[in-house]
Amino acid sequence: MKHKPRRSAGKPPAKSGSMGHSDTPDALCAAALRLLRAGQLAQAEDACRRALTLDAASLDALRAMGQVCLALKRADDAIEWFARAVRQDMSAAESFVGLAQALRLAGRTDEAIKAYDRALQLQPDAIESWDALGELLQLRQRHAEAALACDRLLQLAPDRAATWFRLGEVLEAQGRRDEAALAFDQVAQLRPDHLEAANKAGALHFDAGHYEQAITRFGQSLGLMPDQAGVLYLTGIALRRLRRYQEAETFGRRAQALAPDDPDVANGYGCILQNLGRHDDAVAMFDKAIALRPQTADFHNHRGTSLAELHRFAEAFDSFDRAVALKPDLADAHWNAALFRLLTGDFARGWAAREWGRKCRAVGFVERSFEAPLWLADAPLAGKTILLHSDEGLGDTIQFSRYATLVAAQGARVVLEVDAPLQPLLSGLDGVAQCLARGIDALPSIDYHCPLSSLPLAFATRLDTIPAAPCYLPRPPEARRAIWEQRLGPHDRLRVGLVWSGNPAHLNDHNRSIPLLALAPLLKIGARFVSLQKEPRPSDKAALAARDDILDLTADIRDFVDTAALIDSLDLVLTVDTSVAHLAGALGKPTWIMLPFTPDYRWLLGRDDSPWYPSVRLFRQDARRDYADVVVRVRDALAQQVAAFSATSAT
């Protein structure tokens, strides 16, 4: 042997015959491994040396000596012994595995990876080698290669939870978060007691907006360790985003009790309370969050929203201003301030600030890009073609389509583009040269464009300049109206159309919509009630089917023109704040709207009429935020209408 490995200092040579009568290389190697497992490292090393004295080329002895040196943390010696074994036989995978382990111990990680690669070429199904290789690749942040190693290992051992966990980590490091979540889910299924996997899966599902899955994983984690403030907090926020506010409150309250000095937890709980309409309590939570971390703009923004809901508007605007001062590009703060400024009649500042809503993810503007420039009354339109395009909901489109007439009056050729359901209704709008269905009809060449909801800003609309024609939508075709007259039967009672709920996806739907049964006190009045409610919720559908005092013809409504024709045949429309309220108001039909205490900005405050729709009458909640009182007032007013109709019919 040319380069003999050094003997440990102070170790005396083994005495002849100390291993008994089985002093063969194989017996000595076996004894060395038994001693190694027993932790008798000095004796194990001695046995290896005796074996090598008898047979210097013994692969088993070379590898056994390498293993002993690994156990003694003598990395360089271990490398030398395993290297000798490799040179002795290049086809033995076990030697490369030992060399890889020794190189790793020496901190020579890249060389260790190469040794494992060679070992796996020789023994492709070696589970432990794939595991060790994946771990080293992860340590070196070679995440794509680590993921491949994990995939190969999972083909061999699909139920190996530790490998699924590593795969989740390396996928997450690559930004492949959806795949990482699935990997952690697999760990959580294989090992229901794996707290970290449940939390990681929950957090990834949460970040992806998969809130049901997040809640499931967080629930698994909390079952293992109930008092995790962070997990409780995220569970509460996930429930809040699913609008399961009562459930969210329980988790938010527990998180806040466990982490009273965490400003994010206080803020999150405040947001849940806000959604529950507990605005006084919400303000207290936001105040606490601000006291803990005063420079966070979102806290001031949330506080402003609850203050505005309490109609403490001066304080609310101070909070919004503070949020913007801390973070000038905080679109949500600009947007919220804009809505409440418009609500309180400050149109001058409200319309301009409302444009910030285009940068708010939760608002839902339909953003478009065109080669033609945006027009905001900053260029003459005579002889030009301008595209006015819908960018919000159906009700907003109906409300702001009135401006098409004003744009046309400036000499423009007006092309109106709206959601397909509204295209037949708005095609005959005064001043509109062409009405297109968005996403269906091709756009012509245009010189300018303007979103419909930006037109009040373009025209610098103030309360006294709102273009409020008594009826600005074209009357439905006579043939359609005749069909609905026939379906309604004799006009011997006051005909009242009913809408009690809006789109459940609307962020404020829990405040504006009511169950059908809440209208029961009205139904005893001698009117003919006609449902205008499309797609009632399951409970309302059952209640409607059980009643014989509401005529439901909605199955025959094909489009908004049909709805308009049906409304045209009614005497009055009673509705919550939905697109039907705008449709009826734009048709000039007497329309009563039931509003929450803090309504949408367009209905303003402290008045029972609407400057947008002359035929509208508003019935508002008071500070008790109870629709029962609203229904009582509507019932009394409706009784007068029924009496007046009866008196007129009798003459």
Side-chain angles (χ1 to χ4, degrees):
M1 178 169 68
K2 189 174 181 181
H3 299 290
K4 187 175 181 179
R6 64 181 174 84
R7 180 185 292 275
S8 297
K11 294 290 194 303
K15 295 180 180 178
S16 176
S18 61
M19 293 294 167
H21 297 290
S22 302
D23 282 359
T24 65
D26 289 345
L28 288 166
C29 286
L33 293 176
R34 287 196 300 273
L35 292 165
L36 179 61
R37 288 192 293 270
Q40 300 178 40
L41 303 185
Q43 294 90 329
E45 181 178 11
D46 186 65
C48 289
R49 290 193 181 282
R50 294 194 61 194
L52 288 165
T53 299
L54 295 172
D55 183 0
S58 169
L59 278 177
D60 289 340
L62 291 169
R63 288 195 290 253
M65 181 63 87
Q67 291 295 334
V68 171
C69 290
L70 278 176
L72 290 167
K73 308 299 183 186
R74 287 164 28 199
D76 290 340
D77 286 350
I79 291 169
E80 177 60 25
W81 287 114
F82 285 120
R84 286 184 61 189
V86 166
R87 290 194 294 271
Q88 190 73 22
D89 183 357
M90 297 285 290
S91 66
E94 186 179 347
S95 301
F96 284 99
V97 170
L99 179 59
Q101 293 170 339
L103 288 166
R104 177 177 181 175
L105 180 63
R108 295 159 61 179
T109 307
D110 290 333
E111 294 173 82
I113 290 171
K114 291 178 181 178
Y116 275 123
D117 279 335
R118 179 60 178 154
L120 287 163
Q121 290 172 20
L122 296 167
Q123 192 176 4
D125 293 343
I127 288 175
E128 296 304 324
S129 293
W130 281 113
D131 185 54
L133 176 61
E135 182 181 4
L136 288 178
L137 290 167
Q138 182 183 18
L139 287 172
R140 296 298 291 165
Q141 299 186 22
R142 293 163 60 176
H143 299 301
E145 296 169 86
L148 292 174
C150 290
D151 284 338
R152 176 61 180 142
L153 177 50
L154 289 169
Q155 292 174 27
L156 299 169
D159 292 337
R160 194 179 174 96
T163 306
W164 281 109
F165 189 84
R166 177 172 296 124
L167 179 60
E169 290 185 317
V170 297
L171 289 170
E172 185 178 9
Q174 292 180 83
R176 297 161 62 182
R177 298 173 65 82
D178 287 344
E179 296 170 84
L182 295 176
F184 290 127
D185 276 336
Q186 190 68 23
V187 181
Q189 291 170 18
L190 291 168
R191 287 272 312 279
D193 61 340
H194 201 304
L195 183 75
E196 188 177 4
N199 281 340
K200 281 183 171 288
L204 286 167
H205 286 309
F206 180 91
D207 290 342
H210 304 151
Y211 298 120
E212 293 285 5
Q213 295 95 316
I215 291 165
T216 297
R217 289 295 167 231
F218 288 146
Q220 182 177 348
S221 170
L222 291 168
L224 297 168
M225 185 182 294
D227 291 340
Q228 298 176 80
V231 179
L232 290 164
Y233 160 73
L234 288 176
T235 304
I237 298 302
L239 288 163
R240 172 181 174 253
R241 291 179 183 173
L242 292 172
R243 303 187 189 184
R244 292 158 58 179
Y245 301 131
Q246 291 291 349
E247 295 172 78
E249 193 278 335
T250 299
F251 287 90
R253 175 163 34 84
R254 286 176 59 196
Q256 210 280 321
L258 288 168
D261 296 326
D262 187 319
D264 292 311
V265 170
N267 173 68
Y269 185 38
C271 289
I272 294 168
L273 294 169
Q274 190 176 76
N275 291 126
L276 286 168
R278 293 169 52 184
H279 293 290
D280 285 310
D281 294 335
V283 169
M285 277 295 112
F286 297 136
D287 284 341
K288 182 172 186 177
I290 290 168
L292 291 166
R293 198 167 70 214
Q295 301 305 308
T296 301
D298 282 327
F299 298 170
H300 295 275
N301 174 44
H302 297 155
R303 178 178 184 269
T305 301
S306 273
L307 287 167
E309 290 286 348
L310 292 167
H311 292 198
R312 293 160 58 180
F313 293 109
E315 297 171 80
F317 292 132
D318 285 343
S319 282
F320 293 135
D321 290 344
R322 179 60 179 154
V324 170
L326 289 167
K327 190 176 182 181
D329 62 347
L330 183 58
D332 287 347
H334 288 282
W335 166 258
N336 288 332
L339 296 184
F340 289 115
R341 290 194 190 282
L342 291 168
L343 179 66
T344 55
D346 184 358
F347 283 17
R349 286 186 285 180
W351 293 125
R354 193 174 182 272
E355 292 297 301
W356 279 91
R358 304 187 187 283
K359 298 183 179 180
C360 298
R361 182 178 60 180
V363 172
F365 276 100
V366 178
E367 283 303 287
R368 308 283 299 283
S369 60
F370 303 93
E371 291 184 6
L374 172 67
W375 181 84
L376 288 176
D378 47 0
L381 290 179
K384 304 294 184 180
T385 298
I386 183 170
L387 173 70
L388 306 181
H389 49 98
S390 62
D391 58 332
E392 292 190 271
L394 301 178
D396 304 279
T397 299
I398 293 170
Q399 178 182 3
F400 295 130
S401 66
R402 70 184 71 202
Y403 283 90
T405 305
L406 300 184
V407 175
Q410 297 198 13
R413 181 178 185 273
V414 174
V415 177
L416 179 63
E417 185 194 57
V418 298
D419 291 291
L422 289 176
Q423 192 264 346
L425 176 74
L426 299 178
S427 291
L429 197 65
D430 187 28
V432 173
Q434 189 177 12
C435 187
L436 307 175
R438 186 176 69 222
I440 298 175
D441 298 326
L443 294 176
S445 176
I446 59 174
D447 299 297
Y448 297 101
H449 80 96
C450 184
L452 280 176
S453 69
S454 293
L455 288 168
L457 171 63
F459 283 92
T461 302
R462 303 293 179 265
L463 278 173
D464 57 349
T465 64
I466 291 174
C471 174
Y472 60 85
L473 290 183
R475 197 175 188 198
E478 179 61 37
R480 295 261 196 133
R481 289 186 283 122
I483 291 171
W484 287 105
E485 277 290 344
Q486 183 179 11
R487 287 170 174 159
L488 288 169
H491 197 166
D492 54 356
R493 285 183 288 169
L494 188 77
R495 294 173 175 172
V496 181
L498 295 178
V499 181
W500 54 88
S501 64
N503 183 352
H506 191 283
L507 286 175
N508 199 42
D509 187 66
H510 61 291
N511 284 324
R512 66 171 184 165
S513 294
I514 58 177
L516 171 59
L517 292 179
L519 299 180
L522 305 177
L523 304 178
K524 300 174 184 178
I525 297 174
R528 176 174 293 279
F529 293 99
V530 180
S531 173
L532 300 174
Q533 182 69 56
K534 291 292 285 183
E535 298 180 1
R537 295 164 198 196
S539 59
D540 290 335
K541 190 173 184 178
L544 183 61
R547 305 196 71 95
D548 59 6
D549 47 8
I550 300 176
L551 180 63
D552 183 11
L553 301 173
T554 54
D556 297 319
I557 295 177
R558 297 170 297 171
D559 55 25
F560 268 88
V561 176
D562 267 336
T563 305
L566 175 54
I567 288 173
D568 191 71
S569 300
L570 303 176
D571 300 302
L572 172 69
V573 171
L574 173 62
T575 178
V576 293
D577 183 8
T578 69
S579 60
V580 173
H582 293 278
L583 175 59
L587 289 167
K589 181 63 59 178
T591 305
W592 294 359
I593 306 175
M594 297 177 287
L595 296 175
F597 179 60
T598 305
D600 190 77
Y601 73 89
R602 72 202 79 213
W603 307 119
L604 302 164
L605 292 170
R607 55 193 300 164
D608 59 10
D609 67 331
S610 168
W612 293 97
Y613 300 107
S615 66
V616 159
R617 181 177 175 184
L618 305 175
F619 291 80
R620 302 174 182 272
Q621 287 180 344
D622 58 23
R624 293 173 294 176
R625 303 173 189 267
D626 185 359
Y627 270 116
D629 177 67
V630 174
V631 171
V632 168
R633 285 186 278 121
V634 168
R635 181 198 61 194
D636 293 345
L638 189 58
Q640 296 177 24
Q641 295 288 314
V642 169
F645 180 89
S646 299
T648 302
S649 300
T651 57

